[in-house]
């Protein structure tokens, strides 16, 4: 380890002997996430047990100019936890309590070790849930840090809309709450929106040690449906019309023909190999009937076919299996390869054009990239399946993702709808925001973290 | 159509909580710790509610034994679809020493009183792992029992139960009235929704004491001591096979 013995002693004096680890295996575990970025292990991993320890450890790092890397569950997709300059990884998993649940107010405060599924299990007899669902069983504070989204953002919003307050520890150990300690009004116009400054900051401004989240009532009933379309345009047109008709659709997911084909093979299904929409409706039995009828009509008007739907859990799970296993189905297309997911998001009206152009790009450049997307948000992912040991393919994929990002930017969109900037999209962020907005961001960073210790080399 | 199903629900420490032994080694810490319905009891309630939805039974009655707090657990069963609840008040020393023998006596008495023809219980509780209450209840009532059920089908006045056993699956047919205990794969329990929780507040929970049922609460079991499992020791790396053999001999393993 590059750390001085007395620095390690100082860390141990705060977190205890078991709370400071220099073993290679543990450091490697904390130097990687689920992206294709290679492992960049920190010099040491610390496991604080409370915010006072986080603050004391941060003060030590601040004094010795050591980088601070917050770590939740390591399920990020953009290399956000890589310790590029070494330093101290703060694994927050020991802080795992659900604090302060207020059922009538629909809010709850959680520590960073609480995961999405853990919270929903905790809430299971209250009739409430936290609906933001990025797929992985991620830490809720990690989801706040990356401004995560998911398949039902179209109805319930992303982390930006659902974090009411954050407890933050800055690089110098200062602890404060973005909306004031303990405050949880459903809305506020008090001062600058610090909460949303830290949501999406990817560990570059401070450590998140508590998040107050907005909860929702569990849907009374759920109906899932699937429908095939002759073209991407028809599928997206249907999506727009469903939203315009005021149907409060909970999930509306798009899979292209390549993705459907992969899913068919992986799960021995027999969906028609065409652009397909997977839909989910939440509500009372009566309202569901109405929602499904309106939606079926719209899909028919857009030449949709094979509309099938189900209400009981087992059949719904079967219907959605294709969408759930999409990642693995894509990987199965080329066993032994890895997968990288692109993440652009554009205004809905531009979605057909960008998907058509992207599919053409994939074919022209001989790339494997089945598409799955949160079409209700204009966000889609190309699951690039590639051999990471083949430098030529890696280069081709990289160039493709740059072209895709620029295509999205040219259509008034963003290079990252939900995964974050992390390590690989900093140049694209500059293009997306322009120099003046970047300067404002740099200014904020310099104010909150003048020594640039918070997750250096990410985002900016 | 079978009239009445009795479902036993137990309030236990939530499965996700890290259990800590009390410093005086008399038990585990329960103060301020999250409690919820025993997961196998959730499965039992779900099965009973499904039977009612299929119109195979007329009424589902949820029963719990314990102090005031177990009413929350009964309310959860009501929110899942049970029709009414029975709270058998047991507190203090009686609650500390409450075990399968007393509970099965209470359930047997209630089954007679309520004229139930089917009792569904979880196969075991996650705090004591006894796996005895269902079996004892059946014995006290002299009813047949279908334990570790992964499937339950009512066929007229008989019940077909598929049991998960060591060798695989065993299918048995039992004459009602009958006791069934639920295993993990019997079903996936529903989550209570807000509207159902609201409706459950209006459902009735009757209160009674073990004495009202003529049940003697004396325990024949006394807990002497509770200890944590031994801490896992660090392993040792060896450089050669000879080293490994000599270390194993030292430890008396070979």
């Amino acid at each position: 380890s590059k750390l001085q013995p007395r620095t390690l002693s100082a860390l141990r004096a705060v977190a205890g002997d078991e709370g400071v680890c220099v073993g290679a295996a543990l450091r490697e575990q904390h130097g990687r996430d689920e992206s294709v970025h290679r492992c960049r292990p920190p010099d040491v991993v610390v496991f604080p047990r409370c915010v006072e320890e986080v603050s004391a450890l941060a003060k030590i790092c601040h004094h010795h100019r050591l980088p601070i890397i917050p770590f939740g569950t390591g399920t990020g997709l953009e290399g956000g936890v890589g310790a590029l300059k070494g330093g101290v990884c703060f694994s927050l998993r020991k802080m795992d309590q659900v604090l302060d649940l207020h059922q009538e107010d629909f809010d709850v405060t959680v520590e960073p070790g609480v995961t999405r599924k853990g919270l929903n299990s905790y809430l299971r007899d209250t009739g409430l849930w936290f609906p933001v669902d990025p797929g992985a069983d991620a830490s809720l504070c990690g989801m706040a840090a990356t401004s995560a989204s998911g398949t039902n953002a179209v109805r319930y919003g992303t982390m930006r809309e659902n974090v009411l307050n954050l407890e933050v520890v800055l690089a110098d150990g200062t602890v404060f709450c973005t909306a004031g300690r303990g405050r949880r009004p459903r809305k506020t116009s008090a001062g600058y929106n610090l909460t949303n400054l830290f949501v999406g900051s990817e560990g570059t401004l401070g450590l998140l040690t508590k998040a107050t989240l907005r909860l929702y009532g569990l849907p009374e009933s759920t109906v899932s449906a699937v429908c095939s379309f002759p073209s991407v345009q028809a599928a997206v047109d249907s999506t727009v019309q469903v939203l315009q008709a005021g149907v409060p659709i909970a999930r509306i997911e798009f899979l292209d023909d390549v993705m459907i084909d992969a899913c068919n093979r992986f799960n021995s299904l027999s969906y028609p190999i065409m652009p397909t929409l997977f839909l989910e409706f939440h509500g009372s039995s009566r309202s569901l009937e109405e929602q499904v009828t309106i939606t079926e009509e719209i899909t028919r008007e857009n030449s949709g076919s094979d509309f099938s739907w189900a209400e009981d859990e087992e059949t719904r799970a079967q219907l959605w299996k294709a969408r759930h296993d999409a990642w693995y189905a894509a990987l199965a297309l080329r066993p032994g390869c890895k997968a990288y997911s692109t993440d652009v998001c554009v205004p809905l009206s531009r979605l057909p054009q960008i998907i058509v152009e992207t599919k053409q790009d994939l074919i022209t450049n001989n790339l494997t990239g089945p598409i799955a997307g949160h079409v209700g948000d204009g966000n889609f992912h190309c699951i690039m399946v590639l051999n990471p040991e083949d430098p030529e393919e890696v280069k081709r994929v990289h160039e493709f993702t740059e072209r895709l990002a620029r295509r999205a930017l040219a259509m008034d969109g963003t290079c990252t709808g939900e995964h974050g900037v992390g390590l690989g999209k900093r140049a694209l962020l500059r293009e997306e925001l322009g120099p003046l907005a970047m300067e404002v961001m740099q200014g904020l960073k310099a104010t909150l973290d003048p020594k640039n210790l918070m997750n250096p080399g990410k985002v900016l | 159509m079978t009239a009445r199903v009795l479902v036993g629900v137990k309030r236990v420490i939530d499965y996700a909580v890290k259990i800590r032994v009390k410093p005086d080694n008399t038990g585990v810490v329960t103060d301020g710790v999250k409690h919820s319905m025993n997961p196998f009891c959730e499965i039992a309630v779900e099965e009973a509610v499904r039977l009612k939805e299929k119109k195979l039974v007329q009424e589902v009655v949820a029963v719990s034994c314990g102090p005031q707090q177990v009413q929350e657990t009964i309310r959860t069963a009501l929110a899942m679809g049970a029709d009414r609840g029975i709270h058998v008040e047991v507190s203090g020393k009686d609650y500390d020493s409450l075990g399968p023998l007393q509970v099965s006596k209470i359930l047997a008495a209630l089954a007679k009183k309520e004229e139930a023809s089917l009792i569904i219980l979880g196969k075991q509780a996650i705090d004591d792992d006894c796996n005895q209450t269902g079996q004892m209840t059946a014995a006290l009532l002299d009813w047949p029992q279908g334990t570790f059920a992964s499937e339950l089908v009512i066929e007229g006045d008989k019940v077909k139960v598929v049991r998960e056993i060591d060798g695989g699956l065993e299918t048995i047919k039992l004459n009602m009235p009958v006791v069934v205990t639920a295993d993990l794969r019997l079903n996936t329990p529903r989550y209570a929704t807000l509207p159902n929780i609201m409706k459950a507040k209006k459902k009735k929970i009757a209160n009674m004491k073990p004495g009202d049922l003529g049940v003697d609460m004396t325990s024949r079991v006394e807990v002497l001591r509770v200890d944590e499992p031994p801490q896992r020791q660090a392993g040792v790396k060896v450089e050669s096979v000879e080293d490994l053999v000599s270390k194993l001999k030292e430890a008396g393993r070979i």
Side-chain angles (χ1 to χ4, degrees), chain A residues 93-94 96-97 106 120-128 216-221 313-314, chain B residues 14-16 18 34-37 39 42 50 76 188-189 191-197 199:
Chain A
R93 71 163 189 234
K94 283 190 178 173
D96 61 0
Q97 294 305 296
F106 290 73
N120 282 330
S121 172
Y122 184 97
L123 294 171
R124 68 191 183 283
D125 41 13
T126 61
L128 301 170
Y216 296 75
L218 276 167
E220 247 189 274
S221 303
E313 208 192 322
E314 282 94 6
Chain B
D14 188 84
Y15 76 88
K18 281 189 208 89
K34 180 166 204 270
H35 285 63
S36 50
M37 190 189 294
E42 286 178 352
R50 286 189 190 187
T76 303
T188 308
Y191 283 9
T193 62
L194 277 177
N196 287 338
I197 291 175
K199 278 185 225 155

Side-chain angles (χ1 to χ4, degrees), chain B residues 58-184:
Chain B
Q58 204 162 35
E59 196 186 30
V60 177
V61 182
V63 181
S64 194
C65 306
Q68 189 62 20
Q69 294 94 312
V70 306
Q71 296 219 358
E72 292 162 17
T73 314
I74 301 175
R75 288 269 169 229
T76 303
L78 296 172
M80 285 173 71
D83 296 294
R84 59 184 166 87
I86 299 178
H87 172 201
V88 181
E89 290 170 27
V90 180
S91 52
K93 284 252 164 350
D94 277 346
Y95 183 57
D96 291 336
S97 62
L98 182 64
L101 182 60
Q102 300 96 312
V103 174
S104 56
K105 286 178 181 172
I106 290 170
L107 289 175
L110 280 173
K112 289 195 194 124
K113 183 170 183 288
E114 295 287 336
E115 294 175 333
S117 26
L118 174 58
I119 300 178
I120 310 182
L121 306 173
K123 70 169 178 180
Q124 68 198 62
I126 60 170
D127 51 6
D128 56 30
D129 280 336
C130 282
N131 180 8
Q132 295 166 357
T133 307
Q135 292 88 333
M136 285 178 170
T137 309
L140 287 167
L141 288 166
D142 195 26
W143 288 7
Q145 57 185 260
T147 53
F148 311 109
S150 62
E151 203 183 311
L152 166 62
V153 180
I154 296 187
E155 295 172 349
D157 60 350
K158 297 195 199 313
V159 153
K160 185 185 88 170
V161 174
V162 177
R163 306 178 61 227
E164 296 203 352
I165 61 173
D166 285 351
L169 297 173
E170 177 191 58
T171 307
I172 57 176
K173 207 171 228 176
L174 308 162
N175 295 324
M176 291 178 90
V178 70
V179 175
V180 174
T181 73
D183 209 324
L184 191 63

